Amino acid sequence: MTSEQEITEYTKVKELFSAAIELAPEERTTFLEKNCTQENVRREVESLLEMRAEAGEFLEGVSAVKSIEDSFGKNDKFIG
């Protein structure tokens, strides 16, 4: 079962990740420092950003939000 806290964290990860991918890579650290106070949420966003960068063009055209939702829905846990 998913707790209210997990849903809140999931929502925050989704929002931060979606905003961060719109920024230049060199702006993302500052963005997360200013907008993310929860260490576990920040680590999750950073992990998603790293995976996206490693995947390169493989994920072009794939919705980041949809990817997170699919992963979360399968096992009630964040990616990573």
Coordinates of all heavy atoms in Angstrom, one line a residue:
M1 N 0.8 -1.2 0.0 CA 0.0 0.0 0.0 C 0.9 1.2 0.0 O 1.9 1.3 0.6 CB -0.9 0.0 1.2 CG -1.8 1.2 1.3 SD -3.2 0.9 2.4 CE -4.3 0.0 1.3
T2 N 0.4 2.3 -0.7 CA 1.2 3.5 -0.8 C 0.7 4.5 0.2 O -0.4 4.8 0.4 CB 1.0 4.1 -2.2 OG1 1.4 3.1 -3.2 CG2 1.9 5.3 -2.4
S3 N 1.7 5.0 1.0 CA 1.4 6.0 2.0 C 1.2 7.4 1.4 O 1.7 7.7 0.3 CB 2.4 6.0 3.1 OG 3.6 6.7 2.6
E4 N 0.6 8.3 2.2 CA 0.5 9.7 1.7 C 1.8 10.3 1.5 O 2.0 11.1 0.6 CB -0.3 10.4 2.8 CG -1.3 11.4 2.2 CD -2.2 12.0 3.2 OE1 -3.1 11.3 3.8 OE2 -2.1 13.2 3.5
Q5 N 2.8 10.0 2.4 CA 4.1 10.6 2.3 C 4.8 10.1 1.0 O 5.4 10.9 0.3 CB 5.0 10.2 3.4 CG 6.4 10.8 3.3 CD 7.3 10.3 4.5 OE1 6.9 9.6 5.4 NE2 8.5 10.7 4.5
E6 N 4.6 8.9 0.6 CA 5.2 8.4 -0.6 C 4.6 9.0 -1.9 O 5.3 9.4 -2.8 CB 5.0 6.8 -0.8 CG 5.9 6.1 0.2 CD 5.6 4.6 0.2 OE1 4.4 4.2 0.0 OE2 6.5 3.8 0.3
I7 N 3.3 9.3 -1.8 CA 2.6 10.0 -2.9 C 3.1 11.4 -3.0 O 3.4 11.9 -4.1 CB 1.1 9.9 -2.7 CG1 0.6 8.5 -2.9 CG2 0.4 10.9 -3.7 CD1 -0.8 8.3 -2.5
T8 N 3.3 12.1 -1.9 CA 3.8 13.4 -1.9 C 5.2 13.5 -2.4 O 5.6 14.3 -3.2 CB 3.8 14.0 -0.4 OG1 2.5 14.0 0.0 CG2 4.3 15.4 -0.4
E9 N 6.1 12.5 -2.0 CA 7.4 12.4 -2.5 C 7.5 12.2 -4.0 O 8.2 12.8 -4.8 CB 8.3 11.4 -1.8 CG 8.6 11.8 -0.4 CD 9.3 10.7 0.4 OE1 9.6 9.6 -0.1 OE2 9.6 11.0 1.6
Y10 N 6.6 11.2 -4.4 CA 6.5 10.9 -5.9 C 6.1 12.1 -6.7 O 6.7 12.4 -7.7 CB 5.5 9.8 -6.1 CG 5.0 9.7 -7.5 CD1 5.8 9.0 -8.4 CD2 3.7 10.2 -7.8 CE1 5.3 8.9 -9.7 CE2 3.3 10.1 -9.1 CZ 4.1 9.5 -10.1 OH 3.6 9.4 -11.4
T11 N 5.2 12.9 -6.2 CA 4.7 14.1 -6.9 C 5.9 15.1 -6.9 O 6.1 15.7 -8.0 CB 3.5 14.7 -6.1 OG1 2.5 13.7 -6.1 CG2 3.0 16.0 -6.8
K12 N 6.6 15.3 -5.9 CA 7.7 16.2 -5.8 C 8.8 15.8 -6.8 O 9.4 16.6 -7.6 CB 8.3 16.3 -4.4 CG 9.2 17.5 -4.2 CD 8.5 18.8 -4.4 CE 9.5 19.9 -4.1 NZ 9.0 21.2 -4.4
V13 N 9.1 14.5 -6.8 CA 10.1 14.0 -7.8 C 9.7 14.3 -9.2 O 10.5 14.7 -10.0 CB 10.4 12.5 -7.6 CG1 11.2 11.9 -8.7 CG2 11.1 12.2 -6.3
K14 N 8.5 14.0 -9.5 CA 7.9 14.2 -10.8 C 8.0 15.6 -11.2 O 8.5 16.0 -12.4 CB 6.5 13.7 -10.9 CG 5.8 13.8 -12.3 CD 4.5 13.2 -12.3 CE 3.4 13.9 -11.5 NZ 2.1 13.4 -11.7
E15 N 7.6 16.5 -10.4 CA 7.7 18.0 -10.7 C 9.1 18.5 -10.9 O 9.4 19.2 -11.8 CB 7.0 18.8 -9.5 CG 5.5 18.6 -9.4 CD 4.9 19.2 -8.2 OE1 5.6 19.7 -7.3 OE2 3.7 19.1 -8.1
L16 N 10.0 18.1 -9.9 CA 11.4 18.5 -10.0 C 12.1 18.0 -11.3 O 12.8 18.7 -11.9 CB 12.1 18.2 -8.8 CG 11.8 18.9 -7.5 CD1 12.4 18.3 -6.3 CD2 12.2 20.4 -7.6
F17 N 11.9 16.7 -11.5 CA 12.5 16.1 -12.7 C 12.0 16.7 -14.0 O 12.8 17.1 -14.9 CB 12.3 14.6 -12.7 CG 12.8 13.9 -13.9 CD1 14.2 13.7 -14.0 CD2 12.0 13.4 -14.9 CE1 14.8 13.1 -15.1 CE2 12.5 12.7 -16.0 CZ 13.9 12.6 -16.1
S18 N 10.7 16.9 -14.1 CA 10.2 17.5 -15.3 C 10.7 18.9 -15.5 O 11.0 19.3 -16.6 CB 8.6 17.6 -15.2 OG 8.1 16.3 -15.2
A19 N 10.9 19.7 -14.4 CA 11.4 21.0 -14.5 C 12.9 21.0 -14.8 O 13.4 21.8 -15.7 CB 11.2 21.8 -13.2
A20 N 13.7 20.1 -14.2 CA 15.1 20.0 -14.4 C 15.5 19.6 -15.8 O 16.5 20.1 -16.3 CB 15.7 19.0 -13.4
I21 N 14.8 18.8 -16.4 CA 15.2 18.3 -17.8 C 15.0 19.5 -18.8 O 15.5 19.4 -19.9 CB 14.4 17.1 -18.3 CG1 12.9 17.3 -18.3 CG2 14.8 15.9 -17.4 CD1 12.2 16.1 -18.9
E22 N 14.2 20.5 -18.4 CA 14.1 21.7 -19.3 C 15.3 22.6 -19.2 O 15.4 23.5 -20.0 CB 12.8 22.4 -19.0 CG 11.5 21.6 -19.2 CD 11.3 21.1 -20.6 OE1 11.6 21.9 -21.5 OE2 10.9 19.9 -20.8
L23 N 16.1 22.4 -18.2 CA 17.2 23.3 -17.9 C 18.5 22.8 -18.6 O 18.6 21.5 -18.8 CB 17.5 23.4 -16.4 CG 16.4 24.0 -15.6 CD1 16.7 23.9 -14.1 CD2 16.1 25.5 -16.0
A24 N 19.4 23.6 -18.8 CA 20.8 23.2 -19.2 C 21.4 22.4 -18.1 O 21.2 22.7 -16.9 CB 21.6 24.4 -19.6
P25 N 22.2 21.3 -18.5 CA 22.7 20.5 -17.4 C 23.5 21.3 -16.4 O 23.4 20.9 -15.2 CB 23.7 19.6 -18.2 CG 23.0 19.5 -19.6 CD 22.4 20.8 -19.8
E26 N 24.2 22.3 -16.7 CA 25.0 23.1 -15.7 C 24.1 23.9 -14.8 O 24.6 24.4 -13.8 CB 26.0 24.0 -16.4 CG 25.4 25.0 -17.4 CD 25.2 24.5 -18.8 OE1 25.3 23.3 -19.1 OE2 24.8 25.4 -19.6
E27 N 22.8 24.0 -15.1 CA 21.9 24.8 -14.2 C 21.2 23.9 -13.2 O 20.5 24.4 -12.3 CB 20.9 25.5 -15.1 CG 21.5 26.6 -16.0 CD 20.5 27.2 -16.9 OE1 19.5 26.5 -17.3 OE2 20.7 28.4 -17.3
R28 N 21.2 22.6 -13.4 CA 20.4 21.7 -12.7 C 20.8 21.6 -11.2 O 19.9 21.5 -10.3 CB 20.4 20.3 -13.3 CG 19.7 20.3 -14.7 CD 19.8 19.0 -15.4 NE 19.2 19.1 -16.7 CZ 19.4 18.2 -17.7 NH1 20.2 17.2 -17.5 NH2 18.8 18.4 -18.8
T29 N 22.1 21.6 -10.9 CA 22.5 21.5 -9.5 C 22.0 22.7 -8.7 O 21.4 22.5 -7.6 CB 24.0 21.4 -9.4 OG1 24.5 20.2 -10.1 CG2 24.5 21.3 -8.0
T30 N 22.1 23.9 -9.2 CA 21.6 25.1 -8.5 C 20.1 25.0 -8.4 O 19.6 25.3 -7.3 CB 22.1 26.3 -9.3 OG1 23.5 26.3 -9.4 CG2 21.6 27.6 -8.6
F31 N 19.4 24.6 -9.4 CA 18.0 24.5 -9.3 C 17.6 23.5 -8.2 O 16.7 23.8 -7.4 CB 17.5 23.9 -10.7 CG 16.0 23.6 -10.7 CD1 15.0 24.5 -10.7 CD2 15.6 22.2 -10.6 CE1 13.7 24.1 -10.6 CE2 14.3 21.8 -10.5 CZ 13.3 22.8 -10.6
L32 N 18.2 22.3 -8.1 CA 17.9 21.4 -7.1 C 18.2 21.9 -5.7 O 17.5 21.7 -4.8 CB 18.5 20.0 -7.4 CG 18.0 19.3 -8.6 CD1 18.8 18.0 -8.8 CD2 16.5 19.0 -8.4
E33 N 19.3 22.6 -5.6 CA 19.7 23.1 -4.3 C 18.7 24.1 -3.8 O 18.3 24.2 -2.6 CB 21.1 23.8 -4.4 CG 22.2 22.9 -4.5 CD 23.5 23.6 -4.8 OE1 23.6 24.8 -5.0 OE2 24.6 22.9 -4.8
K34 N 18.1 24.9 -4.7 CA 17.1 25.9 -4.3 C 15.7 25.3 -4.1 O 14.9 25.9 -3.3 CB 17.0 27.0 -5.4 CG 18.2 27.9 -5.5 CD 18.0 28.9 -6.6 CE 19.3 29.8 -6.7 NZ 19.1 30.8 -7.8
N35 N 15.4 24.3 -4.8 CA 14.0 23.8 -4.8 C 13.8 22.4 -4.2 O 12.6 22.0 -4.1 CB 13.5 23.7 -6.3 CG 13.5 25.1 -6.9 OD1 12.5 25.8 -6.6 ND2 14.4 25.4 -7.8
C36 N 14.8 21.8 -3.7 CA 14.6 20.5 -3.1 C 15.3 20.4 -1.7 O 16.5 20.4 -1.6 CB 15.2 19.4 -4.0 SG 14.9 17.8 -3.5
T37 N 14.5 20.3 -0.7 CA 15.0 20.3 0.7 C 15.1 18.8 1.2 O 15.8 18.6 2.2 CB 14.1 21.1 1.6 OG1 12.7 20.6 1.5 CG2 14.1 22.6 1.2
Q38 N 14.4 17.9 0.6 CA 14.4 16.5 1.0 C 15.5 15.8 0.3 O 15.5 15.6 -0.9 CB 13.1 15.8 0.8 CG 11.9 16.4 1.6 CD 10.6 15.8 1.1 OE1 10.1 16.1 0.1 NE2 10.2 14.8 1.9
E39 N 16.5 15.2 1.1 CA 17.6 14.6 0.5 C 17.2 13.4 -0.3 O 17.8 13.2 -1.4 CB 18.6 14.1 1.6 CG 19.9 13.6 1.1 CD 20.7 14.5 0.3 OE1 20.7 15.7 0.5 OE2 21.4 14.0 -0.6
N40 N 16.3 12.6 0.1 CA 15.9 11.4 -0.6 C 15.2 11.7 -1.9 O 15.4 11.1 -3.0 CB 15.0 10.5 0.2 CG 13.7 11.1 0.6 OD1 13.7 12.3 1.0 ND2 12.6 10.4 0.6
V41 N 14.5 12.8 -2.0 CA 13.8 13.3 -3.2 C 14.9 13.8 -4.2 O 14.9 13.5 -5.3 CB 12.8 14.4 -2.9 CG1 12.3 15.0 -4.2 CG2 11.6 13.8 -2.1
R42 N 15.9 14.6 -3.6 CA 16.9 15.1 -4.5 C 17.7 13.9 -5.1 O 18.1 14.0 -6.3 CB 17.8 16.0 -3.7 CG 18.9 16.6 -4.5 CD 19.8 17.6 -3.8 NE 20.9 17.9 -4.7 CZ 21.6 19.0 -4.5 NH1 21.3 19.9 -3.6 NH2 22.5 19.3 -5.3
R43 N 18.1 12.9 -4.3 CA 18.8 11.8 -4.8 C 18.1 11.1 -5.9 O 18.7 10.7 -6.9 CB 19.2 10.8 -3.7 CG 20.3 11.2 -2.8 CD 20.8 10.1 -1.9 NE 19.7 9.4 -1.3 CZ 19.3 9.6 0.0 NH1 19.9 10.6 0.6 NH2 18.4 8.9 0.5
E44 N 16.8 11.0 -5.8 CA 16.0 10.3 -6.8 C 15.9 11.1 -8.1 O 16.1 10.6 -9.2 CB 14.5 10.1 -6.3 CG 13.7 9.3 -7.2 CD 14.1 7.9 -7.3 OE1 14.7 7.3 -6.3 OE2 13.9 7.3 -8.4
V45 N 15.8 12.4 -8.0 CA 15.8 13.3 -9.2 C 17.2 13.2 -9.8 O 17.3 13.1 -11.1 CB 15.4 14.7 -8.8 CG1 15.6 15.7 -10.0 CG2 14.0 14.8 -8.3
E46 N 18.2 13.3 -9.1 CA 19.6 13.2 -9.6 C 19.8 11.9 -10.3 O 20.4 11.8 -11.4 CB 20.6 13.4 -8.5 CG 20.7 14.9 -8.0 CD 21.6 15.1 -6.8 OE1 21.8 14.1 -6.1 OE2 22.0 16.2 -6.6
S47 N 19.3 10.8 -9.7 CA 19.4 9.5 -10.3 C 18.7 9.4 -11.7 O 19.2 8.9 -12.7 CB 18.8 8.4 -9.4 OG 18.8 7.2 -10.0
L48 N 17.5 10.0 -11.7 CA 16.7 10.0 -13.0 C 17.4 10.8 -14.0 O 17.5 10.4 -15.2 CB 15.3 10.6 -12.7 CG 14.4 9.7 -11.9 CD1 13.2 10.4 -11.5 CD2 14.0 8.4 -12.7
L49 N 18.0 11.9 -13.6 CA 18.7 12.8 -14.6 C 20.0 12.1 -15.1 O 20.3 12.1 -16.3 CB 19.1 14.1 -13.9 CG 18.0 15.1 -13.6 CD1 18.5 16.2 -12.7 CD2 17.4 15.6 -14.9
E50 N 20.7 11.4 -14.2 CA 21.8 10.6 -14.7 C 21.5 9.5 -15.7 O 22.1 9.3 -16.7 CB 22.6 10.0 -13.5 CG 23.3 11.0 -12.6 CD 23.9 10.4 -11.4 OE1 24.0 9.2 -11.3 OE2 24.2 11.2 -10.4
M51 N 20.4 8.8 -15.3 CA 19.9 7.7 -16.2 C 19.5 8.3 -17.6 O 19.8 7.7 -18.6 CB 18.8 6.9 -15.6 CG 19.2 6.0 -14.5 SD 18.0 4.9 -13.8 CE 16.9 6.1 -13.0
R52 N 18.9 9.4 -17.6 CA 18.4 10.0 -18.8 C 19.6 10.4 -19.6 O 19.7 10.2 -20.9 CB 17.5 11.2 -18.5 CG 16.9 11.8 -19.8 CD 16.0 12.9 -19.4 NE 15.2 13.4 -20.5 CZ 15.6 14.3 -21.4 NH1 16.8 14.8 -21.3 NH2 14.8 14.6 -22.4
A53 N 20.6 11.0 -19.0 CA 21.9 11.4 -19.7 C 22.6 10.2 -20.3 O 23.1 10.2 -21.4 CB 22.8 12.2 -18.8
E54 N 22.7 9.1 -19.5 CA 23.3 7.9 -20.0 C 22.6 7.3 -21.2 O 23.2 6.7 -22.1 CB 23.5 6.9 -18.9 CG 24.4 7.3 -17.8 CD 24.4 6.4 -16.6 OE1 23.8 5.3 -16.7 OE2 25.1 6.7 -15.6
A55 N 21.3 7.4 -21.2 CA 20.5 6.8 -22.2 C 20.6 7.6 -23.6 O 20.4 7.0 -24.6 CB 19.0 6.7 -21.8
G56 N 21.0 8.8 -23.5 CA 21.2 9.6 -24.7 C 19.9 9.7 -25.5 O 18.9 9.9 -25.0
E57 N 20.1 9.5 -26.8 CA 19.0 9.6 -27.7 C 18.0 8.5 -27.6 O 16.9 8.6 -28.1 CB 19.5 9.6 -29.2 CG 20.3 10.9 -29.5 CD 20.7 10.9 -30.9 OE1 20.1 10.2 -31.7 OE2 21.7 11.7 -31.2
F58 N 18.3 7.4 -26.9 CA 17.4 6.3 -26.7 C 16.1 6.7 -26.2 O 15.1 6.2 -26.5 CB 18.1 5.2 -25.8 CG 17.2 4.1 -25.5 CD1 17.0 3.1 -26.5 CD2 16.6 4.0 -24.3 CE1 16.1 2.0 -26.2 CE2 15.8 2.9 -24.0 CZ 15.5 1.9 -24.9
L59 N 16.1 7.7 -25.3 CA 14.9 8.1 -24.6 C 14.2 9.4 -25.3 O 13.3 9.9 -24.8 CB 15.1 8.4 -23.1 CG 15.3 7.2 -22.3 CD1 15.6 7.6 -20.9 CD2 14.2 6.2 -22.4
E60 N 14.8 9.9 -26.4 CA 14.2 11.0 -27.0 C 12.8 10.7 -27.4 O 12.4 9.7 -27.9 CB 15.0 11.4 -28.3 CG 16.3 12.0 -28.0 CD 16.3 13.3 -27.2 OE1 15.4 14.2 -27.5 OE2 17.0 13.4 -26.2
G61 N 11.9 11.6 -27.1 CA 10.5 11.5 -27.4 C 9.7 10.7 -26.4 O 8.5 10.5 -26.5
V62 N 10.4 10.2 -25.3 CA 9.7 9.5 -24.3 C 9.3 10.5 -23.2 O 10.1 11.3 -22.8 CB 10.6 8.3 -23.7 CG1 9.9 7.7 -22.5 CG2 10.9 7.3 -24.8
S63 N 8.1 10.4 -22.7 CA 7.7 11.3 -21.6 C 8.3 10.9 -20.3 O 8.2 9.8 -19.9 CB 6.1 11.2 -21.5 OG 5.7 11.8 -20.3
A64 N 9.0 11.9 -19.7 CA 9.7 11.6 -18.4 C 8.6 11.3 -17.4 O 8.8 10.4 -16.6 CB 10.5 12.9 -18.0
V65 N 7.5 12.0 -17.4 CA 6.5 11.8 -16.4 C 5.9 10.4 -16.6 O 5.7 9.7 -15.6 CB 5.4 12.9 -16.5 CG1 4.2 12.6 -15.6 CG2 6.0 14.3 -16.1
K66 N 5.7 10.0 -17.8 CA 5.1 8.7 -18.1 C 6.1 7.6 -17.6 O 5.6 6.6 -17.0 CB 4.8 8.5 -19.6 CG 4.2 7.2 -20.0 CD 2.8 7.1 -19.5 CE 2.2 5.8 -20.1 NZ 1.4 5.1 -19.1
S67 N 7.4 7.8 -17.8 CA 8.4 6.8 -17.3 C 8.3 6.6 -15.8 O 8.4 5.5 -15.3 CB 9.8 7.3 -17.8 OG 9.8 7.3 -19.2
I68 N 8.2 7.7 -15.1 CA 8.2 7.7 -13.7 C 6.9 7.0 -13.2 O 6.9 6.1 -12.3 CB 8.3 9.1 -13.0 CG1 9.7 9.7 -13.3 CG2 8.0 9.1 -11.5 CD1 9.8 11.2 -13.0
E69 N 5.8 7.4 -13.8 CA 4.5 6.8 -13.4 C 4.5 5.3 -13.7 O 4.0 4.5 -12.9 CB 3.4 7.5 -14.2 CG 3.1 8.9 -13.8 CD 2.1 9.6 -14.6 OE1 1.8 9.2 -15.8 OE2 1.6 10.7 -14.2
D70 N 5.0 4.9 -14.8 CA 5.1 3.4 -15.2 C 5.9 2.7 -14.1 O 5.5 1.6 -13.7 CB 5.7 3.2 -16.5 CG 4.7 3.6 -17.7 OD1 3.5 3.9 -17.4 OD2 5.2 3.7 -18.8
S71 N 7.0 3.2 -13.8 CA 7.9 2.6 -12.8 C 7.3 2.5 -11.4 O 7.3 1.5 -10.8 CB 9.3 3.3 -12.7 OG 10.0 2.7 -11.7
F72 N 6.7 3.6 -11.0 CA 6.1 3.7 -9.7 C 4.9 2.7 -9.6 O 4.7 2.1 -8.6 CB 5.6 5.1 -9.4 CG 5.2 5.3 -7.9 CD1 6.2 5.4 -6.9 CD2 3.9 5.4 -7.6 CE1 5.8 5.6 -5.6 CE2 3.5 5.6 -6.3 CZ 4.4 5.7 -5.3
G73 N 4.1 2.6 -10.7 CA 2.9 1.8 -10.7 C 3.2 0.3 -10.6 O 2.4 -0.5 -10.2
K74 N 4.4 -0.1 -11.1 CA 4.7 -1.5 -11.1 C 5.0 -2.1 -9.8 O 4.8 -3.2 -9.5 CB 5.8 -1.8 -12.1 CG 5.4 -1.6 -13.5 CD 6.6 -1.8 -14.5 CE 6.2 -1.5 -15.9 NZ 7.3 -1.5 -16.8
N75 N 5.7 -1.3 -8.9 CA 6.2 -1.9 -7.7 C 6.0 -0.9 -6.5 O 6.5 -1.1 -5.4 CB 7.6 -2.3 -7.8 CG 8.5 -1.2 -8.1 OD1 8.2 0.0 -8.1 ND2 9.8 -1.5 -8.5
D76 N 5.2 0.2 -6.7 CA 5.0 1.1 -5.6 C 6.3 1.7 -5.0 O 6.4 2.1 -3.9 CB 4.2 0.5 -4.5 CG 2.7 0.3 -4.9 OD1 2.3 0.9 -5.9 OD2 2.1 -0.5 -4.2
K77 N 7.3 1.8 -5.9 CA 8.6 2.3 -5.4 C 9.1 3.2 -6.6 O 8.8 3.1 -7.7 CB 9.6 1.3 -5.1 CG 9.3 0.4 -4.0 CD 10.3 -0.6 -3.7 CE 9.9 -1.4 -2.5 NZ 10.8 -2.5 -2.2
F78 N 9.9 4.2 -6.2 CA 10.6 5.0 -7.1 C 11.6 4.2 -7.9 O 12.0 3.1 -7.5 CB 11.3 6.2 -6.5 CG 10.4 7.1 -5.8 CD1 10.6 7.4 -4.4 CD2 9.5 7.8 -6.5 CE1 9.8 8.3 -3.8 CE2 8.6 8.7 -5.8 CZ 8.8 9.0 -4.5
I79 N 12.0 4.7 -9.1 CA 13.1 4.1 -9.8 C 14.4 4.2 -9.0 O 14.7 5.2 -8.4 CB 13.3 4.9 -11.2 CG1 12.0 4.8 -12.0 CG2 14.4 4.3 -12.0 CD1 12.0 5.7 -13.2
G80 N 15.2 3.2 -9.2 CA 16.6 3.3 -8.6 C 16.7 2.5 -7.3 O 16.3 2.1 -6.5

